[in-house]
Amino acid sequence: MHIVVCIKQVPDSAQIRVHPVTNTIMRQGVPTIINPYDLFSLEEALRLRDQLGGKVTVITMGPKMAIEALKKCISYGADDAILLTDKVFAGSDTLATSFALASTIAKIGETTPVDMVFCGKQTIDGDTAQVGPGIARRLHMQQLTYVAQVEKVDLDKGEIVVHRRSEGGVQVLATKLPCLVTMLEGSNVMRYGSMDDLFRAARYEVAEWDHKAAGITVTAQCGLKGSPTVVKKVFAPPARAVKAEMIKTEGKTPREVADALLTSVFAKHPKLEMEIGQ
Amino acid sequence: MAEKFDAIVIGAGPSGNAAALVMARAGMKVLQLERGEYPGSKNVQGAILYAEALEQIIPNCRRQAPLERPIIEQRMWVLDDESYVGSNYRGTKKKDEPPTRYTVIRANIDRWMSKKATDAGVLLICEATVLDLIKLDGKVVGVRTDRLGGDILAEVVVLADGVNSLIATKAGLRPTIKAADVALAVKEMHFLPKEVIEQRFNIANDEGVVIELFGKITKGMMGTGFLYTNRESIALGIGCMADDFKKGGVTPYDLLDAMKAHPAIKPLIAGSEVKEYAAHLIPEGGYKAIPQVHGDGWVIVGDSGGFVNAVHREGSNLAMTSGRLAAETILKLKEEGKPFTAQHLARYRAALEDSFVMKDLKKYRNMPEIFHANPQFFTTYPELLNRAAATILKVDGIDKKTKEKEIAGEFVKRRSRLGLLGDAIKLVRSFR
Ligand SMILES: Cc1cc2nc3c(=O)[nH]c(=O)nc-3n(C[C@H](O)[C@H](O)[C@H](O)COP(=O)(O)OP(=O)(O)OC[C@H]3O[C@@H](n4cnc5c(N)ncnc54)[C@H](O)[C@@H]3O)c2cc1C
Ligand SMILES: Cc1cc2nc3c(=O)[nH]c(=O)nc-3n(C[C@H](O)[C@H](O)[C@H](O)COP(=O)(O)OP(=O)(O)OC[C@H]3O[C@@H](n4cnc5c(N)ncnc54)[C@H](O)[C@@H]3O)c2cc1C
């Protein structure tokens, strides 16, 4: 079984701020992490590999520094990693990103056919949740989104059963391989890799692919050229001017506290008191 | 794990990085294990870097290392509750004489130094914690880590795991560190625009200031405070002996808050944004607290050996130097084909004794005890000194001679004549 896991290196959004004057995102000095959702999909892929045999290949499209994120995936136990990096990919929106990733996966499949692709549900920086479905559509794969758990994969029958979270509850879905899964958070816990895997990661040379290596001959669908999305404006929502108010009371019992609360509300809105009284 | 190494270095702080780099550069097969996410992620320092110690390991370091500002001015302040008496030294940069002290940010400098080590061939594994040493017939032959399949063997193990050195204690190589021999320090990073810092401290864009703080800010405990200028931030912190904290009931962050509110400090950090808060131990027991530093198959370097000169706030340079000396000893023994026995590794101890590391620590060997037992140096004297200054400087119609008498009388009243003499002798002894 060959599984490809797509990961994205993202700025640690807990530490990111929007510049108050220029309204641009201040990325400088913000540490990068692997998109948290992608770790759940990597762990799910590793579990399937451990169960059924085969291999896990991790890919990302991004700048050179994304090598660190890929090496980290090796240290968790992934077998191979490929960095898709090329100037022509700069400025990709979700359309161009999924085109580039789909081409790469197709190319990888020429050597070892791909049975499954894993993506995170969404990223914590772009937040669109469009890339996974975009890849599935292009590769004519079945797609299962918002997956909380992969229940079973039957390689002989070429079948997969998953639990998908939906608004009303949990759907148990079955479909055919090859398929693409996007994983929800909290579905599993990333393993603590072995010393062998740490050694392998420290010595691993990540393969770097440009557009040609990924089998892309025409670059019109890549990068800025292939990205119809335009960012018109970025802004930080202004802090709310209204401050919370503390209502002071000497009272201790629930009755006294409730009374103090009502008194203060009615003091502000005398009409309300009148209306209730009528 | 079947793979064997010539040397394993535990820890990727300045001492471990120095040792690993020097050994790998000479062709040894070195494994370095660090429990943090990356080198420097767990480390705390003021931080002043002493460039000479680094220069000995990485020539031309000043041109490559991520340094913040060279120090051109040193201020020493003795603080009373609301005032201070201070001295300043301000020099100028000389063309043919490079500065020796720079402010740095540890996460940056540690990563930079570690990159030099991995470039030289060190295999660095982060996020792996060493739990214990593996011994065979009393000789250290490897380490046990918290990872699956994590036993790794080597000819020699360098313990560079920092002040607590739990591993050395667990393996019975040294006693548990005592609260009387370590200081607990807290530190904050206050961010301010570059121009604001330069204006407030009267410096140019490539100049920095150090303020060492002493006196009532430590509330009678043995300790000091500091304030350093980085490029776009101010590092400030305060530390006292751990056993003093235990006795006194004052918390470290109380001390730091009070220090930040002192009228002399407050305007220097006004309007800043605090982005980091850290706490760390510093081994300050001095010469007398240094444990056995070598044995069969192992050596101890840096903070884990207690190599910190608290008086001059030097630690990272002793760490780098001890790491280098240990590595050089190991290389020499390897070249001579000698095994890494306690007897042969004793050369490392000799090299330490011969260097500034042990010479400086020896010089101040009495200081920790004396200051620890005499809190008047941290309370009464700073107060008296500040009052004396205030008295002399006040122009109120009283003649100067009367004022001098009043000041002298105050000193005698507070400490007695014998007490003053005793304190003077103690001060001299502590520096010798
Ligand atoms: C408003 C807006 C403005 C933007 N502006 C710019 C810009 O100016 N310049 C710029 O370069 N980018 C910009 N981007 C980012 C870029 O368009 C997206 O980050 C990118 O297309 C991926 O979309 P996403 O992050 O929403 O991923 P999602 O669709 O939320 O990601 C789902 C999953 O797809 C996979 N995935 C996503 N991206 C990658 C990847 N690169 N490699 C491997 N797997 C991946 C992961 O498994 C991920 O969990 C912008 C995005 C938005 C929403
Ligand atoms: C507040 C403060 C201010 C200071 N100011 C200065 C200053 O201005 N100038 C100066 O020169 N010195 C200063 N020092 C002292 C200086 O920081 C230390 O002397 C120096 O960091 C010692 O280096 P080291 O490599 O021995 O230890 P550390 O830097 O502590 O490195 C030890 C490393 O070992 C790792 N480790 C620990 N246990 C394990 C384990 N079991 N397995 C794997 N890895 C492990 C740790 O994660 C850490 O990275 C200051 C210290 C403090 C706390």
Side-chain angles (χ1 to χ4, degrees):
Chain A
M1 161 121 150
H2 187 196
I3 308 173
V4 172
V5 179
C6 301
I7 65 145
K8 186 179 177 190
Q9 196 182 35
V10 294
D12 191 344
S13 62
Q15 301 191 40
I16 212 164
R17 291 173 308 151
V18 174
H19 194 284
V21 181
T22 59
N23 270 336
T24 50
I25 292 171
M26 292 160 61
R27 280 171 195 267
Q28 216 187 10
V30 178
T32 53
I33 55 174
I34 297 173
N35 178 40
Y37 294 94
D38 300 349
L39 291 178
F40 297 110
S41 63
L42 175 59
E43 175 60 24
E44 205 67 18
L46 292 173
R47 286 183 190 187
L48 288 175
R49 177 207 62 189
D50 292 349
Q51 230 177 62
L52 305 165
K55 77 176 218 172
V56 171
T57 304
V58 182
I59 64 171
T60 191
M61 180 177 88
K64 282 241 157 93
M65 70 172 191
I67 284 181
E68 286 313 309
L70 290 170
K71 282 190 160 198
K72 190 114 189 183
C73 294
I74 300 282
S75 81
Y76 288 130
D79 299 278
D80 270 312
I82 296 167
L83 171 67
L84 187 62
T85 189
D86 193 327
K87 278 204 202 79
V88 305
F89 298 131
S92 297
D93 66 1
T94 55
L95 198 70
T97 302
S98 49
F99 170 76
L101 291 173
S103 308
T104 306
I105 295 166
K107 192 75 195 172
I108 292 170
E110 284 176 16
T111 334
T112 320
V114 176
D115 303 291
M116 279 185 81
V117 176
F118 272 95
C119 282
K121 181 194 88 180
Q122 67 191 70
T123 60
I124 58 167
D125 63 339
D127 274 310
T128 66
Q130 292 174 357
V131 172
I135 296 171
R137 181 72 189 81
R138 288 196 162 79
L139 294 176
H140 306 292
M141 280 186 174
Q142 304 301 315
Q143 61 166 305
L144 296 162
T145 52
Y146 299 92
V147 170
Q149 190 200 333
V150 177
E151 190 179 288
K152 103 173 171 230
V153 172
D154 189 330
L155 279 179
D156 295 332
K157 287 201 205 137
E159 210 177 77
I160 178 170
V161 181
V162 302
H163 292 192
R164 175 180 197 266
R165 190 135 350 123
S166 66
E167 270 167 36
V170 175
Q171 302 170 334
V172 180
L173 301 177
T175 191
K176 295 262 169 244
L177 294 178
C179 84
L180 180 140
V181 168
T182 77
M183 287 294 290
L184 281 180
E185 70 276 23
S187 39
N188 54 42
V189 178
M190 175 48 79
R191 65 193 54 198
Y192 201 55
S194 70
M195 191 51 89
D196 278 326
D197 287 330
L198 291 185
F199 270 50
R200 219 162 42 80
R203 290 171 166 153
Y204 190 81
E205 300 248 355
V206 172
E208 291 176 35
W209 285 17
D210 58 7
H211 71 278
K212 287 198 197 100
I216 300 170
T217 43
V218 189
T219 56
Q221 279 175 277
C222 295
L224 210 52
K225 271 192 288 180
S227 298
T229 320
V230 181
V231 181
K232 291 194 80 170
K233 189 178 168 193
V234 178
F235 63 95
R240 281 199 293 173
V242 190
K243 288 246 164 67
E245 191 185 324
M246 280 281 256
I247 300 166
K248 290 219 174 80
T249 166
E250 301 289 307
K252 296 235 159 56
T253 65
R255 178 175 280 277
E256 287 165 337
V257 173
D259 196 45
L261 176 64
L262 281 179
T263 312
S264 120
V265 172
F266 288 152
K268 279 236 170 86
H269 306 279
K271 255 174 118 187
L272 184 65
E273 188 176 8
M274 304 284 280
E275 278 166 30
I276 293 175
Q278 272 165 9
Chain B
M1 174 153 305
E3 197 169 339
K4 200 177 162 184
F5 291 83
D6 292 337
I8 293 174
V9 177
I10 309 171
S15 65
N17 287 341
L21 170 57
V22 171
M23 288 191 287
R25 202 158 47 193
M28 280 179 73
K29 188 177 171 191
V30 181
L31 172 70
Q32 192 178 20
L33 297 164
E34 164 59 47
R35 73 186 159 147
E37 198 188 339
Y38 55 86
S41 59
K42 294 246 172 207
N43 303 337
V44 184
Q45 189 175 325
I48 305 294
L49 175 99
Y50 304 96
E52 265 319 298
L54 185 56
E55 183 72 25
Q56 302 256 323
I57 298 158
I58 303 172
N60 255 327
C61 68
R62 289 179 182 82
R63 262 197 249 137
Q64 322 162 40
L67 306 169
E68 293 283 307
R69 292 173 183 270
I71 308 301
I72 62 141
E73 179 171 327
Q74 172 104 11
R75 305 180 191 169
M76 304 266 247
W77 290 359
V78 181
L79 293 95
D80 194 2
D81 292 328
E82 303 219 299
S83 59
Y84 75 86
V85 174
S87 69
N88 268 20
Y89 169 76
R90 190 176 173 113
T92 45
K93 273 182 295 175
K94 302 201 174 57
K95 263 223 179 82
D96 46 349
E97 209 183 293
T100 61
R101 304 187 304 156
Y102 294 83
T103 47
V104 293
I105 290 170
R106 268 296 290 272
N108 295 344
I109 197 96
D110 282 13
R111 265 208 264 207
W112 172 81
M113 202 174 169
S114 170
K115 174 86 174 32
K116 293 276 173 195
T118 50
D119 284 351
V122 172
L123 185 68
L124 167 71
I125 305 285
C126 289
E127 291 181 282
T129 303
V130 174
L131 301 176
D132 210 349
L133 299 175
I134 302 172
K135 284 195 201 168
L136 193 71
D137 303 327
K139 184 183 184 300
V140 172
V141 294
V143 301
R144 171 154 302 155
T145 68
D146 63 340
R147 295 281 182 165
L148 189 72
D151 287 6
I152 313 162
L153 301 182
E155 300 286 328
V156 63
V157 175
V158 178
L159 289 103
D161 54 333
V163 50
N164 266 321
S165 199
L166 298 174
I167 309 160
T169 310
K170 193 164 172 192
L173 307 181
R174 62 168 296 169
T176 312
I177 202 156
K178 291 201 292 273
D181 288 337
V182 284
L184 174 59
V186 285
K187 176 196 163 187
E188 283 181 356
M189 291 281 268
H190 287 248
F191 283 77
L192 279 169
K194 198 170 160 292
E195 302 74 36
V196 174
I197 292 177
E198 285 156 13
Q199 200 181 7
R200 273 184 202 176
F201 291 86
N202 185 24
I203 45 178
N205 67 17
D206 54 348
E207 297 175 342
V209 169
V210 158
I211 308 180
E212 295 289 345
L213 307 158
F214 182 85
K216 285 179 90 178
I217 43 162
T218 57
K219 308 217 185 296
M221 298 186 280
M222 171 173 165
T224 52
F226 63 85
L227 187 154
Y228 303 150
T229 55
N230 295 322
R231 230 184 271 280
E232 294 189 312
S233 60
I234 290 173
L236 84 165
I238 187 163
C240 295
M241 300 310 286
D243 64 334
D244 281 352
F245 274 124
K246 258 171 50 181
K247 273 181 270 170
V250 187
T251 64
Y253 49 87
D254 280 341
L255 278 191
L256 188 59
D257 282 346
M259 179 174 132
K260 286 189 297 182
H262 193 283
I265 312 276
K266 203 174 166 185
L268 295 177
I269 53 171
S272 63
E273 188 188 351
V274 183
K275 283 210 207 145
E276 271 178 57
Y277 182 87
H280 207 275
L281 295 177
I282 312 175
E284 294 199 352
Y287 189 74
K288 292 179 183 171
I290 291 172
Q292 174 80 22
V293 296
H294 67 282
D296 283 327
W298 61 273
V299 287
I300 284 186
V301 299
D303 271 12
S304 44
F307 305 132
V308 164
N309 180 346
V311 185
H312 291 263
R313 215 187 276 288
E314 292 178 26
S316 61
N317 52 334
L318 283 73
M320 286 179 200
T321 305
S322 57
R324 172 174 64 82
L325 293 175
E328 285 169 0
T329 306
I330 289 166
L331 288 174
K332 196 93 208 321
L333 291 177
K334 202 168 164 70
E335 194 186 298
E336 294 170 14
K338 296 201 168 112
F340 301 119
T341 57
Q343 187 203 347
H344 289 134
L345 287 169
R347 279 196 210 169
Y348 163 54
R349 171 88 199 193
L352 280 174
E353 297 282 355
D354 210 32
S355 74
F356 80 94
V357 174
M358 288 297 200
K359 283 182 184 163
D360 283 354
L361 288 176
K362 229 183 227 168
K363 172 170 153 55
Y364 295 114
R365 69 194 172 285
N366 294 320
M367 184 166 274
E369 268 166 17
I370 292 175
F371 276 96
H372 224 135
N374 295 280
Q376 67 270 23
F377 290 121
F378 299 92
T379 51
T380 317
Y381 283 108
E383 198 181 310
L384 288 170
L385 204 59
N386 276 274
R387 281 216 210 141
T391 308
I392 281 290
L393 295 174
K394 196 167 176 183
V395 181
D396 52 3
I398 300 172
D399 67 281
K400 305 296 179 229
K401 195 155 185 183
T402 309
K403 281 182 185 251
E404 274 173 24
K405 259 197 184 148
E406 194 185 307
I407 292 167
E410 190 78 8
F411 272 74
V412 173
K413 196 170 101 203
R414 294 289 292 276
R415 290 298 302 157
S416 84
R417 280 186 210 285
L418 196 64
L420 285 174
L421 183 66
D423 289 345
I425 293 172
K426 280 171 201 154
L427 261 190
V428 172
R429 262 190 63 218
S430 70
F431 279 90
R432 257 215 310 244

